[in-house]
Structures are given as structure tokens and as C-alpha cells.
Amino acid sequence: LPPSSDVFEAFYPGASPVQIKSEQNIMRFHRQSEDCLYLNIRKSVSADRHQKPRKVIVYVFGGDGSYGSSVNPIINGFNLIKKNPDLIFVNFNYRFGMLGFADFSGIPGGENYPDANHLGLLDIISALRWVKCNIAAFGGDPDSITLAADTAGSSYVLALSLIEQSKNLFSKVILFSTAIYAGFTDKASLIDVTGKEIEELGVNTMEELVNLPQEKIAGTYEKYAFFNAPVLDGKFVPENIFEAFRQKKYGNIEFVFGFAESELSAWSALVSSEVACLFSTNAYNQIYRNAVSDAERNIMKSFVESRMKEGKTEQMAKTLFAELLLYRYHTLCLCNILSDNGSKVRCFLWKAKSPGDVFNANIVSALTTIMGNSEVAEAFGFVIDESLSALLQSLLKKFICNEAVETFRNEIKGMPAVEWPGYKGSSPEVLVVSDSGFSITRDMGIQELNGFSI
């Protein structure tokens, strides 16, 4: 749209990003286009127009780099804002796959597209800048913006915490199911996958590529989109995420990390078991190749052997190792770094299993409950605990609002008092959310991996 001071009535969401069309991917029913850079703002119309500026939550959707959208009903924010009218919820789209992360340096004309390997991250930064500049017009506080994200989106947000171009665009972060390194790649690997995509498309130059119909480019997503990811190039994105955090390049950002009892099972249900298998196999093999010592390889072998003795298949044992290392061990190592830096960080572990929950206590049931999306839960065949949803919203809202992160007995009717302690490396306390209530644990089940490098 051209610049205008007129009011534009925006009733419907824009197109979703181009993505895989797996039967389990509910986003396949929504219109897809590279022209997908639209932003949605949810706010209560019942709130007093003269109330003080509202805190802002900006949600970056996840996936595995091959699917996802701001219209995903699990994370649409409608019910969250109904129950918390003093907040504003924003989400948006960004490009991924070949259209978001590619390296065309080996193709004639590719030198004219130097930013192609980070377009998805640049899309996110552009959206955050827009929110920072314009959210006050919607009643939001531009100085109180919290980023929330899940899975691959969480990895991107961690990168944004360190990137100079996104400094001062947000002050707090809430991340769910973060696999830090799973969201990135190296330059050689991205050149390789881009070359395979170009070969499959049957083009020889960038001019031929840009003139292809979108539908043909979308055809590469099923096979390759998972491997298109932002590059840890040491220029735009730090080459070593952990070292950059040790150097406190993230400033004064405060963090919440959410873990799920079962991380990868969501992929089988929402995308396909083939994608979940591909991820875990590729991840395990890559970890093995990159292991810095025989001691690390022996840790991996011992883990797999012990699980196979328990009756697991070799594939399942390797999946469990990749899940534990990428989603839990690495993230807890990062929490230790943040704690050592004196930064504020909190962690919770989701173990609650709702009646009929086919997702086995993973990110889907956690997000559906936190967002209060009972209709979505019913569509998936399970029921959320409304009181638990209200309590978790209260705790996270208090984190956002700089209040003591605790609730009192019956503050949420029928719910106990909950105090959510900060995470300290010397006393790594994690809030556990389970069917039986709330508890604190210092044991996240990573002892077998202790000593693994990051």
C-alpha cells in the first residue's frame, strides 16, 4: 500500500508464508505467498481509552523452518487478550525456506542478493521496528515490548538478542522449546542445499530463478526447506551463540525458558513422522560428526546403548539423545551463562497431560493452555485446564509487568500459591507444571550429558 493518512480497514489476515503442504500441517489450508509480510494486532476494545499504555507481547511463530504462520490458531492471541485486556498481542509473518534463507553466491547474478541468507531474520527485525515506531497509536507501550516464540522462532529470537540491528527493540523474552543450534546452519551447508534447489528447479541464473512461478519454487520445500536456515557467519549472526552470550552482547534483556517433557512428538502430530525422523537422524549424525572428542562420542554411544537395553529402537534412542541435547542440555547451559552474568532468567518444565492429549505433554498442549485456546484443544481432541491456564497467564504477565512472579492461594480460584524462583547456576531451580500441581526441581535429567561441549 502507498503511504497514506487514511484509515485502512483491515479485517482479514494476509497470506501465510510459502511452506510444506504435509497433510498434518493445518496451514496448508491458508493462502500462501511470498507476499506474506503482514502483521496482526490484537487488543481489547473494552479497555478504557484513557488507560495507561499497555504492555506489548510480540509473538514469533516457530516450526522447523518449513512450516508456520501468524494465523496458526494455537498462537493467535485472541483468548489471551480477552482475559488480559491490559495487554496488546502482536504477531506477524516472515519468510523461510528458500525464500527466506538461501545462498546464491555460486549462481550467475547471485552476487546481487547478498542478504538472501538472512531475509527471514531481516523480516522479523522490520516487523519489530514497525511495532516500536507505531504501537503507541494502538495504546501500547513502545518501551515495554516482550518477545515470545517457540521452536525455530525461539532460536531466531536468541539471535536477535545479539544482533546490533535489533538492539533496544525489546526488553524481555519468553521462549518455548528452544533448540539453539538446530535453528542455524553454516555457509557451506547453505550453499550446498541452495545448489540442490537450483538444480531441481532447472535454472542456471538468478534472472531465470526470479521469473519462475511461485508454485514451482514452493515445490522444493517438501524436500529441502528444513535445511534452509540462517547462517552463523560471525558478521550478521555471531559465529558462536554461547560465546556472544558470555560477552553479554544481549544487554539487559530478561529471559524465560519453557521446556516440554516431550519435545519432538509434536512434529509427528503436526507435520509428519517422516520430518521428525529426518530431523532427529540428521541432528544425531551431525552431532556425532562435530563431537570434539572421543569422550563425547562415547557419551552418545553409551546413551543409545542404555536406551536400547530398555527396549527402545536405535532410531528412537538417537531421537531421545538429540532431543535431550538440543532442547534441554544446550538451553540449560545458556541459562547458566545468563545466571553467571547476573541476568534475570526463569525456567519451567511442562509435564501436564490433559485428558485426550495426543501430544504427550509437548509444546502444543503447553502453548494451547498458556494461550487459553480451549477451542483449539477441542479440535485436537483434548481439554485444557482453565484454572491452570489462568494461573500460568498470571505468572507470565507478572514477569512482563516487572512484578513479583508469584501467586497467592485462591488468587486463581481453586489454585495453590505458586512462587516461581529465578534460575541460578548455583541453585538451578525449575518450576515443574504437572498433572499433580506445581513443584520445584533441580534435576532436569541431563546428568548423562555433563561434560558435552557447547
Side-chain angles (χ1 to χ4, degrees):
L1 293 174
S4 172
S5 59
D6 295 337
V7 174
F8 180 77
E9 299 289 354
F11 292 113
Y12 306 104
S16 292
V18 174
Q19 57 196 274
I20 63 173
K21 292 181 171 61
S22 162
E23 285 188 9
Q24 291 99 322
N25 179 16
I26 58 176
M27 293 300 101
R28 76 185 190 280
F29 296 114
H30 193 249
R31 181 169 60 93
Q32 298 177 16
S33 172
E34 184 181 10
D35 180 17
C36 63
L37 302 183
Y38 295 91
L39 181 146
N40 310 304
I41 300 174
R42 320 286 190 207
K43 58 175 286 190
S44 172
V45 296
S46 62
D48 182 358
R49 62 183 296 183
H50 299 298
Q51 79 170 167
K52 63 182 181 180
R54 282 169 268 189
K55 307 292 185 183
V56 182
I57 301 174
V58 180
Y59 201 98
V60 182
F61 67 79
D64 61 6
S66 65
Y67 70 99
S69 171
S70 64
V71 300
N72 186 337
I74 296 172
I75 53 169
N76 61 27
F78 280 118
N79 289 331
L80 180 69
I81 295 306
K82 283 181 183 178
K83 296 170 184 175
N84 300 276
D86 51 345
L87 298 176
I88 289 179
F89 183 90
V90 180
N91 66 359
F92 57 88
N93 290 325
Y94 59 90
R95 292 167 290 178
F96 48 83
M98 189 180 188
L99 295 173
F101 305 112
D103 191 310
F104 300 117
S105 59
I107 304 165
E111 67 276 5
N112 297 320
Y113 299 84
D115 295 329
N117 57 353
H118 291 127
L119 287 178
L121 293 181
L122 291 170
D123 291 345
I124 298 173
I125 292 173
S126 294
L128 293 176
R129 286 176 174 167
W130 190 96
V131 172
K132 183 77 170 178
C133 292
N134 295 282
I135 201 63
F138 297 86
D141 184 352
D143 295 321
S144 183
I145 296 175
T146 297
L147 281 195
D150 66 86
T151 54
S154 295
S155 298
Y156 303 156
V157 168
L158 284 179
L160 294 176
S161 302
L162 304 167
I163 292 174
E164 191 62 35
Q165 289 91 325
S166 54
K167 293 295 183 186
N168 302 315
L169 295 180
F170 53 96
S171 57
K172 296 178 187 293
V173 164
I174 302 172
L175 303 179
F176 306 98
S177 297
T178 308
I180 298 172
Y181 278 137
F184 302 99
T185 190
D186 59 79
K187 184 175 178 64
S189 297
L190 189 59
I191 290 175
D192 180 63
V193 71
T194 303
K196 291 176 180 177
E197 290 165 328
I198 292 296
E199 182 179 358
E200 182 159 313
L201 290 169
V203 297
N204 298 302
T205 67
M206 285 301 297
E207 182 178 5
E208 293 175 358
L209 177 62
V210 298
N211 286 316
L212 284 179
Q214 174 187 294
E215 292 74 20
K216 188 164 185 179
I217 294 175
T220 67
Y221 274 56
E222 301 295 333
K223 188 183 297 184
Y224 297 113
F226 171 77
F227 299 102
N228 292 92
V231 174
L232 298 171
D233 58 1
K235 298 175 182 177
F236 188 65
V237 181
E239 186 174 3
N240 188 310
I241 296 286
F242 292 97
E243 186 58 34
F245 272 97
R246 284 194 187 95
Q247 297 173 13
K248 208 173 181 181
K249 290 186 177 180
Y250 57 91
N252 296 313
I253 295 173
E254 300 177 20
F255 295 84
V256 164
F257 290 95
F259 302 85
E261 177 76 355
S262 176
E263 298 285 5
L264 293 178
S265 59
W267 287 22
S268 296
L270 289 180
V271 186
S272 70
S273 57
E274 289 78 13
V275 169
C277 180
L278 174 65
F279 171 82
S280 58
T281 301
N282 181 69
Y284 183 90
N285 292 338
Q286 186 173 7
I287 293 165
Y288 192 87
R289 288 194 302 270
N290 295 338
V292 300
S293 67
D294 288 338
E296 289 190 352
R297 294 186 183 93
N298 287 335
I299 289 174
M300 298 178 71
K301 291 177 181 177
S302 177
F303 184 97
V304 171
E305 288 171 359
S306 67
R307 297 309 185 275
M308 290 178 68
K309 288 179 181 177
E310 295 172 359
K312 300 289 192 300
T313 64
E314 183 179 2
Q315 175 61 50
M316 177 55 68
K318 289 180 177 180
T319 295
L320 291 173
F321 179 87
E323 179 178 20
L324 188 63
L325 182 78
L326 296 175
Y327 285 94
R328 194 169 295 192
Y329 180 79
H330 281 168
T331 305
L332 288 170
C333 287
L334 178 57
C335 291
N336 289 334
I337 292 171
L338 293 168
S339 173
D340 291 344
N341 285 346
S343 301
K344 294 181 179 179
V345 57
R346 284 180 167 81
C347 299
F348 75 90
L349 173 61
W350 177 265
K351 299 180 70 173
K353 297 181 181 179
S354 302
D357 184 357
V358 298
F359 295 105
N360 193 28
N362 67 24
I363 183 62
V364 176
S365 55
L367 285 178
T368 304
T369 300
I370 290 170
M371 290 288 184
N373 288 336
S374 56
E375 303 92 339
V376 175
E378 290 173 8
F380 282 124
F382 68 98
V383 179
I384 68 171
D385 184 327
E386 297 286 355
S387 295
L388 176 59
S389 174
L391 191 145
L392 291 171
Q393 288 182 13
S394 178
L395 289 172
L396 291 172
K397 183 176 174 181
K398 289 177 179 181
F399 165 76
I400 292 168
C401 296
N402 297 311
E403 300 174 9
V405 188
E406 60 185 10
T407 60
F408 303 101
R409 183 175 180 81
N410 282 324
E411 179 177 334
I412 307 298
K413 187 176 180 181
M415 298 301 286
V418 176
E419 182 178 354
W420 190 356
Y423 183 96
K424 305 291 184 184
S426 58
S427 179
E429 296 181 313
V430 175
L431 179 67
V432 179
V433 184
S434 68
D435 298 327
S436 58
F438 296 84
S439 60
I440 300 295
T441 185
R442 294 182 177 86
D443 180 8
M444 289 287 281
I446 60 172
Q447 293 87 343
E448 290 175 272
L449 276 59
N450 283 342
F452 222 89
S453 62
I454 55 174

